[in-house]
Amino acid sequence: MILGKVVGTVWATRKDENLVGLSLQIVKHIDLDYKLKDQFVVAVDTVQAGVGDVVLVATGSSARQTVQTKNKPVDAVIMAVVDKLDVSE
Amino acid sequence: MILGKVVGTVWATRKDENLVGLSLQIVKHIDLDYKLKDQFVVAVDTVQAGVGDVVLVATGSSARQTVQTKNKPVDAVIMAVVDKLDVSE
Amino acid sequence: MILGKVVGTVWATRKDENLVGLSLQIVKHIDLDYKLKDQFVVAVDTVQAGVGDVVLVATGSSARQTVQTKNKPVDAVIMAVVDKLDVSE
Amino acid sequence: MILGKVVGTVWATRKDENLVGLSLQIVKHIDLDYKLKDQFVVAVDTVQAGVGDVVLVATGSSARQTVQTKNKPVDAVIMAVVDKLDVSE
Amino acid sequence: MILGKVVGTVWATRKDENLVGLSLQIVKHIDLDYKLKDQFVVAVDTVQAGVGDVVLVATGSSARQTVQTKNKPVDAVIMAVVDKLDVSE
């Protein structure tokens, strides 16, 4: 999974009918010190994540393994809000 | 999903028979300030996006989760036209 | 899909039995001015593309959505020969 | 598969219900001399790997081919602990 | 598919039970002049490739489309040994 931080929201009216009602969040990748990278992904939020939350994003077909995203044309899903990282390099 | 902007169209006569009738658009990746990057992808358009539109592109097997692309050899689909980005880093 | 140009062929005798008879082409990525990049992929050709042809390549599970590649261990397929690009940035 | 080393753990209380009970480890990519790279991935551990272990990570839909991860929204799984690399370039 | 060269082997005792008996090879990416790149992948060998062999590697779900790898948590498979490259840029 990608470790990232929610930095915004995408609004889209014209879209595939199966996307109606889904929340599309902008997630910037972060490093293990929580520093934002330039890279980002637009992901469907399934855990009520908000701006500023550190999250995990699953991509590819795995992004469709939730109740909200099953069989829908989405390739990235926020499936967890991170409380804490324990890092000991 | 990839955030991008439609910058053109691909014309192809000789192709897999399941691709007949599909619209193939060239989508350049953009950053959160709508600035074009060099990277691009060719995607099937399912939401009547046109040149200049900011769009979302789903890739991989997720690109086949639309009525138009089901079971076809395509790995990228435009599934939403973006109205607005709310970004608050 | 990846936009590329066929630059050669791979010959392989010892291979998965399901690959017998498939044509394996070397496709270099190109930019929107048809300039070759260093990056390349080996793809199964399903549209009789030849060296010098500009083509589209579908990757991942989508590469198995053709009659020739169904259920085979291949992750890239040439599914269209490009006639023309209309680009208007 | 990715060759990596476990460097930490992710704690997440709010998450997809199917993730309850799974162990989420932080795995940094390593090179063939076991040197840590900057790149990392968060992966579900299915082989009781711990911090410091050299491991293999399978990604994408392949990450769901274990008893613990089947049908769950996860895209990376630790499926082996590495004893030794035999490298002869 | 990735074009690569086998440079070594991975030994792993503690692993997913479905991996028992599979041969895990280290494959470095190569360019069209057979020069080794830094990038590598660990792949299951299904064609008895050995160190020094030039091979093709299929990744993602396509890596599970062989008799040996079906339904197993592996995302890269060596499915051909390359005899020769015909390149004419």
Side-chain angles (χ1 to χ4, degrees), chain B residues 8-83:
Chain B
T9 305
V10 174
W11 300 96
T13 311
R14 186 146 40 106
K15 57 189 166 191
D16 185 277
E17 57 177 13
N18 282 317
L19 300 182
V20 173
L22 294 184
S23 162
L24 296 163
Q25 303 284 42
I26 304 165
V27 180
K28 279 208 165 179
H29 294 218
I30 61 175
D31 63 21
L32 295 176
D33 297 320
Y34 302 95
K35 207 162 59 186
L36 294 172
K37 300 181 183 179
D38 284 338
Q39 213 180 342
F40 67 93
V41 64
V42 177
V44 172
D45 173 29
T46 64
V47 290
Q48 295 191 272
V51 168
D53 279 340
V54 174
V55 296
L56 294 180
V57 174
T59 60
S61 60
S62 299
R64 303 196 308 271
Q65 310 293 317
T66 75
V67 175
Q68 295 97 318
T69 56
K70 202 172 163 61
N71 297 328
K72 297 184 181 173
V74 298
D75 64 6
V77 69
I78 302 174
M79 25 58 89
V81 175
V82 173
D83 299 324

Side-chain angles (χ1 to χ4, degrees), chain E residues 70-86:
Chain E
K70 201 170 163 62
N71 298 329
K72 296 183 182 175
V74 298
D75 63 7
V77 70
I78 301 174
M79 25 57 90
V81 174
V82 172
D83 299 325
K84 194 165 67 100
L85 302 179
D86 270 353

Side-chain angles (χ1 to χ4, degrees), chain A residues 22 46 64-72, chain D residues 16-18:
Chain A
L22 294 183
T46 64
R64 304 197 306 272
Q65 311 293 317
T66 75
V67 176
Q68 296 98 316
T69 56
K70 203 172 163 59
N71 298 328
K72 297 184 181 175
Chain D
D16 186 276
E17 56 177 12
N18 283 316

Side-chain angles (χ1 to χ4, degrees), chain C residues 6 15-16 21 24 40 45 50 55 58 66-67 79 84 87-88:
Chain C
V6 181
K15 57 189 166 191
D16 185 275
L24 296 164
F40 67 93
D45 174 29
V55 297
T66 75
V67 175
M79 25 57 89
K84 194 165 67 99
V87 184
S88 46

